[in-house]
Amino acid sequence: MKLSVQNKRYLFIIAGILLFLPPIAIVPRFFGAMSMCSAPMCMRMLFSIKSFVAMSNLLYMGLIMLIAILLISFFAGRYWCSYLCPFGGITEIISKIVPQKIKINYSWIPSPAVRYGYFAAALMLPAFGIGNICGTFCNVTVISNLFGSTTNSAYLIMIQTFSGLVNLGMIILLGFLAVGGRAYCNFLCPIGAVDGFLNWMGSKVKVFKRIKVDDNKCNGCDKCIKECPVWAIEKKENNTVKINQISCIPCKICMEKCPEKAISFRKD
Amino acid sequence: MEKNKFILKSCLSIIVVVLLFITKSMYTSPSFSHVGGVITKNGGTAKYPALLGLDEDKYVIYASGKVESAFEGIKIVLEGEPEIDYNIKSYYPPAIDLGYHKFYEFENNTIKNISARERFTLIVSINPKVRIDKESKYYLKFYDLDSDSTVLTIPILFKELINFHISKKVRRPEVETRGSKNKIINSKHSKNQTNSSKNCCEK
């Protein structure tokens, strides 16, 4: 039985769920943790400028994973985001079963502005004592708690706190009810912000493969724009489209949907 | 025209997300606190006390940390007057045992067979039958069942918190605990704290 590219991708995402989320959490268990929202696994608290050194010591596995993700993004593309990250993957999968009528289309909001504006705030303001990255608009904690609560009610108690409910509401609005299921990833994920930038840098290197459009084949039908879960495809003046590499996760949905086969994963 | 619209949308978007971040960060939840500590045979170290507001139906304390050496049994008790109902749950052990990492067991508010340098995570739910409406001090105490000594003490302070005002945000005093003696170290007090609350952690 031959699987489509998307079905293979969903299998990888399911593997990501088993690898990183409770109650299985194969990877965190090696280090005495049960989720990515825990020492030494958390990748987000590494963005604390004031306590980076202390955090790196405490969250050493998170640091190793983050470096690996960023290197892969630079050389090969944002495969962590599209193939393995269970936090974005689960919202994408669940949004597929939500009726289109009730979904919210966020594509009119310029996502790089939001993503990097929020990233700058989350990076700089805690250094001045304003706010804390830990648990603030964090999808890792809420999705870990949702999965953990299937077997342990301690996780459910955490969801019921004020912060837990805010994060849950955020995941519902920006994940399950978003067209494409990836609005959180596109707007608020700090890891996505950094690896989007590295992906863009890597796209400037001609020998690295990225999703690209052949202008000669593109007929401007916009099917790819409608299907892209991270609205990374833009219309150009000559009516063809181009891929915005700062947002593109190589999910390859556009490649499958393009009737002219104008989109491919290739070198320059 | 299109370019100007795009720039305007981008600027507005940045302002909105920054304001959202600042608004969320200005809010101090009166019913939730995250505390950390290290359990040692000498009485342990809690970095700072749990700071909770008054007049709430329910409180949740997320207590995490690690143990320096192995213990067969650590009993956790919430002490203070008047007595309040509480319930402690743990993320560990996991429901499904994959066999390659031995987590501690948790039963009847007791951590059992925890290895050296292992991390613990406890969720303490406090459900006061009578609302706590005045400043109070409790202690979350960890007792080594072998030696009957205290291996960690985390103070829990109930005080009036003022939300949505960053200049009045109550800063938590740092507390170093050695067994049953608590003293404030490197305390950072806001201008609005009263004298009684400044000394709240000193015995």
Side-chain angles (χ1 to χ4, degrees):
Chain A
M1 181 179 74
K2 205 177 173 194
L3 292 172
S4 68
V5 172
Q6 293 315 306
N7 287 339
K8 276 186 207 163
R9 197 165 69 84
Y10 296 142
L11 281 177
F12 271 100
I13 290 170
I14 290 168
I17 290 168
L18 296 173
L19 285 169
F20 300 109
L21 291 182
I24 309 294
I26 294 170
V27 173
R29 277 179 199 247
F30 272 111
F31 307 99
M34 272 308 290
S35 74
M36 297 296 289
C37 176
S38 178
M41 308 301 302
C42 177
M43 290 190 273
R44 291 178 179 218
M45 288 306 289
L46 295 166
F47 293 104
S48 310
I49 294 178
K50 255 173 112 172
S51 50
F52 176 74
V53 174
M55 284 296 159
S56 302
N57 284 329
L58 178 67
L59 307 172
Y60 59 90
M61 261 322 292
L63 181 63
I64 291 169
M65 277 189 63
L66 183 62
I67 292 171
I69 289 166
L70 297 181
L71 286 173
I72 292 170
S73 293
F74 178 71
F75 287 104
R78 297 172 67 188
Y79 278 101
W80 161 259
C81 297
S82 57
Y83 275 74
L84 208 54
C85 176
F87 312 104
I90 195 71
T91 55
E92 184 186 335
I93 290 173
I94 291 181
S95 82
K96 289 209 167 300
I97 57 178
V98 171
Q100 195 69 18
K101 263 191 284 194
I102 62 170
K103 283 202 261 200
I104 306 165
N105 190 345
Y106 293 98
S107 61
W108 60 276
I109 301 172
S111 60
V114 175
R115 192 187 320 139
Y116 293 101
Y118 178 77
F119 181 67
L123 205 62
M124 307 299 243
L125 293 177
F128 295 100
I130 302 171
N132 189 346
I133 299 170
C134 181
T136 301
F137 303 133
C138 180
N139 64 344
V140 174
T141 182
V142 67
I143 289 176
S144 299
N145 286 339
L146 279 173
F147 273 78
S149 63
T150 55
T151 54
N152 187 335
S153 57
Y155 292 94
L156 201 58
I157 296 172
M158 291 301 293
I159 295 172
Q160 292 166 355
T161 60
F162 175 78
S163 202
L165 291 171
V166 167
N167 286 335
L168 182 64
M170 172 197 71
I171 281 302
I172 290 171
L173 287 174
L174 297 180
F176 305 145
L177 295 184
V179 170
R182 293 263 186 180
Y184 177 88
C185 305
N186 227 5
F187 288 149
L188 300 180
C189 181
I191 295 158
V194 181
D195 83 348
F197 178 70
L198 280 172
N199 183 57
W200 172 79
M201 277 180 57
S203 70
K204 302 296 177 194
V205 180
K206 290 188 177 176
V207 294
F208 294 162
K209 287 186 182 182
R210 291 293 188 272
I211 306 259
K212 293 191 198 272
V213 180
D214 184 346
D215 279 1
N216 296 324
K217 290 183 181 174
C218 177
N219 66 5
C221 68
D222 292 356
K223 276 199 175 124
C224 53
I225 294 177
K226 288 172 191 149
E227 296 289 341
C228 179
V230 290
W231 54 98
I233 305 178
E234 299 159 352
K235 205 72 183 277
K236 294 196 293 191
E237 278 167 6
N238 61 359
N239 207 38
T240 58
V241 297
K242 74 167 187 174
I243 311 288
N244 184 343
Q245 298 293 347
I246 214 161
S247 297
C248 176
I249 59 173
C251 62
K252 301 176 185 174
I253 293 175
C254 53
M255 281 170 52
E256 286 189 332
K257 296 294 178 187
C258 178
E260 304 297 322
K261 304 291 173 216
I263 306 178
S264 55
F265 188 66
R266 58 181 169 82
K267 300 175 193 177
D268 222 342
Chain B
M1 182 69 177
E2 283 293 325
K3 201 177 175 186
N4 288 341
K5 250 174 105 175
F6 179 78
I7 292 170
L8 184 65
K9 263 201 254 178
S10 301
C11 292
L12 277 171
S13 301
I14 292 172
I15 291 168
V16 166
V17 289
V18 171
L19 283 175
L20 260 173
F21 184 85
I22 292 174
T23 306
K24 166 83 175 38
S25 58
M26 283 168 73
Y27 180 75
T28 307
S29 175
S31 58
F32 175 79
S33 191
H34 180 187
V35 293
V38 179
I39 292 174
T40 67
K41 290 195 193 290
N42 295 332
T45 312
K47 197 174 173 193
Y48 41 65
L51 202 54
L52 298 167
L54 301 177
D55 232 6
E56 297 287 329
D57 284 329
K58 184 181 170 180
Y59 301 91
V60 174
I61 297 170
Y62 179 93
S64 64
K66 65 176 185 180
V67 295
E68 270 194 1
S69 45
F71 289 89
E72 274 186 26
I74 300 174
K75 179 93 182 167
I76 302 118
V77 181
L78 182 66
E79 292 177 358
E81 291 298 330
E83 270 189 44
I84 45 177
D85 281 349
Y86 66 97
N87 180 266
I88 305 179
K89 289 183 187 282
S90 172
Y91 283 169
Y92 311 127
I96 301 161
D97 182 7
L98 297 183
Y100 55 83
H101 184 95
K102 188 181 173 305
F103 287 94
Y104 62 82
E105 292 139 44
F106 186 78
E107 206 181 340
N108 295 331
N109 294 352
T110 305
I111 293 173
K112 294 179 183 171
N113 301 319
I114 188 165
S115 315
R117 290 181 301 282
E118 191 76 28
R119 296 200 65 84
F120 65 89
T121 305
L122 302 170
I123 316 294
V124 183
S125 306
I126 298 172
N127 307 290
K129 283 196 178 116
V130 178
R131 284 187 179 216
I132 300 169
D133 57 2
K134 58 178 186 205
E135 287 195 7
S136 314
K137 188 170 44 169
Y138 287 78
Y139 295 96
L140 192 67
K141 287 200 166 178
F142 295 66
Y143 292 99
D144 175 17
L145 292 178
D146 251 346
S147 62
D148 214 24
S149 61
T150 316
V151 291
L152 176 64
T153 303
I154 300 176
I156 300 170
L157 310 177
F158 291 90
K159 9 175 349 104
E160 194 178 349
L161 298 181
I162 301 162
N163 303 322
F164 284 106
H165 292 284
I166 226 176
S167 59
K168 292 180 186 175
K169 186 174 176 181
V170 176
R171 295 180 193 274
R172 290 190 283 197
E174 291 192 12
V175 166
E176 183 175 321
T177 61
R178 290 279 180 259
S180 58
K181 290 182 188 171
N182 308 315
K183 54 178 180 175
I184 298 175
I185 56 165
N186 301 327
S187 72
K188 297 168 195 169
H189 292 276
S190 75
K191 288 175 191 173
N192 292 331
Q193 267 190 314
T194 60
N195 283 335
S196 60
S197 60
K198 273 184 191 172
N199 297 324
C200 65
C201 288
E202 292 169 349
K203 263 198 170 178

